[in-house]
Amino acid sequence: MGDHEGSAERPNAREGHVVVEREAVGVTVTGLVEAAEDGQSGALWRLRRKGRQLDANVVRLLPGGEIAVHREPEVDVLLAVVQGGGSLTLDGAAVEVVPGSLTLLPRGSARSLRAGPEGLVFLTAHRRRAGMAIGRPPRTEPRTPQCPLHLVCEQCHRHAIEADARYCSWCGTRLVPKAATG
């Protein structure tokens, strides 16, 4: 997964280690997709700088891939389609998305995405969420049962949000189906 948020790493041929430069580094979506492993779905790039106020991710869904219906209770999310196409369902209304589509996903809305035959690559951006805290936040929605099909990343212990995820969208670790871990 790309890690390009304002510093670049390049090998130092003389000393055999990595040098960190403090220059702005640009990436291209085409470059991110080309650098991804065959069959890799999920986050290809995200902002990582500590203290930032913005979260942004470039996410790829393979043809027919899907992000299951979910709600984001805390923040509005801007979704910008950059490659491929598919359908977005927002509060039960489905619309086709194509490169250049910009959609505001209001906090609390139910949303899902399905990639078309060319796959789907999109950018999401939103205000950074508050940090993790010990304890449970007050529940604002009725409790719904967790889907037993979601995968859990062995590295960061986050649940996959895609029904067919092969890589963790948070840390990039390859996901192993529960049946294979037994």
Side-chain angles (χ1 to χ4, degrees):
M1 178 177 346
D3 186 16
H4 308 283
E5 76 299 327
S7 65
E9 294 184 358
R10 63 177 169 79
N12 183 325
R14 279 186 294 135
E15 300 175 15
H17 66 278
V18 173
V19 175
V20 176
E21 298 176 345
R22 296 289 176 209
E23 300 172 11
V25 175
V27 296
T28 64
V29 172
T30 301
L32 292 170
V33 171
E34 288 174 355
E37 294 180 33
D38 285 340
Q40 181 178 351
S41 182
L44 300 179
W45 175 90
R46 69 172 177 253
L47 292 176
R48 293 181 182 257
R49 187 174 53 91
K50 291 183 181 189
R52 68 189 182 278
Q53 296 178 358
L54 179 71
D55 272 338
N57 301 281
V58 172
V59 179
R60 177 170 83 168
L61 295 177
L62 298 175
E66 179 178 5
I67 295 178
V69 176
H70 65 285
R71 292 182 188 272
E72 168 49 66
E74 293 182 42
V75 295
D76 295 333
V77 176
L78 178 67
L79 181 134
V81 175
V82 293
Q83 279 186 1
S87 65
L88 165 69
T89 302
L90 185 61
D91 285 333
V95 295
E96 185 175 333
V97 291
V98 297
S101 295
L102 290 174
T103 307
L104 174 65
L105 308 175
R107 70 175 179 261
S109 62
R111 75 275 311 253
S112 66
L113 276 169
R114 177 177 292 274
E118 296 177 8
L120 179 64
V121 179
F122 58 92
L123 169 75
T124 60
H126 57 82
R127 176 182 49 83
R128 189 166 185 212
R129 293 178 188 91
M132 300 272 283
I134 297 175
R136 294 182 182 199
R139 186 167 295 281
T140 59
E141 297 179 352
R143 179 171 231 139
T144 57
Q146 287 287 332
C147 173
L149 298 178
H150 281 129
L151 300 171
V152 178
C153 177
E154 292 178 359
Q155 181 70 29
C156 69
H157 307 290
R158 293 185 183 271
H159 290 265
I161 59 173
E162 302 166 45
D164 62 346
R166 293 184 183 170
Y167 295 86
C168 177
S169 62
W170 181 257
C171 71
T173 300
R174 185 167 185 78
L175 297 173
V176 179
K178 290 179 184 180
T181 61

